[in-house]
Amino acid sequence: KNELMNYLGFRYFFRHAYAAELDWERLQSLVQGVEPTFLRYRSELNTFMTWLRAAADTLNGRRNNNC
């Protein structure tokens, strides 16, 4: 969660600081961490989606059995 907060902080800064210059030293860690962060959260989202589908299938099965 903390990883994403760093990216959200940059997004907020970038959207609201039109005239500010970007500091590469501060951004370097964000740039270098983009791919691992993306891969981690994509994996976690896929796991969650699999769980949701299984839960939906279970609920649909219960509904169909009660008809």
Side-chain angles (χ1 to χ4, degrees):
K1 180 179 176 181
N2 199 27
E3 294 167 343
L4 292 181
M5 294 304 291
N6 291 331
Y7 290 101
L8 288 173
F10 170 75
R11 178 183 172 267
Y12 179 84
F13 169 80
F14 190 75
R15 290 187 68 195
H16 297 285
Y18 305 107
E21 289 189 29
L22 299 177
D23 180 0
W24 172 247
E25 289 184 23
R26 290 184 68 195
L27 295 176
Q28 191 172 5
S29 65
L30 291 176
V31 170
Q32 292 173 342
V34 165
E35 186 174 5
T37 300
F38 170 77
L39 293 174
R40 176 179 169 212
Y41 283 97
R42 181 176 67 177
S43 174
E44 289 182 14
L45 284 172
N46 284 334
T47 300
F48 179 64
M49 290 298 295
T50 299
W51 179 85
L52 277 179
R53 286 185 187 108
D57 290 345
T58 299
L59 289 174
N60 285 334
R62 287 182 188 166
R63 255 189 238 134
N64 291 336
N65 289 335
N66 291 330
C67 291

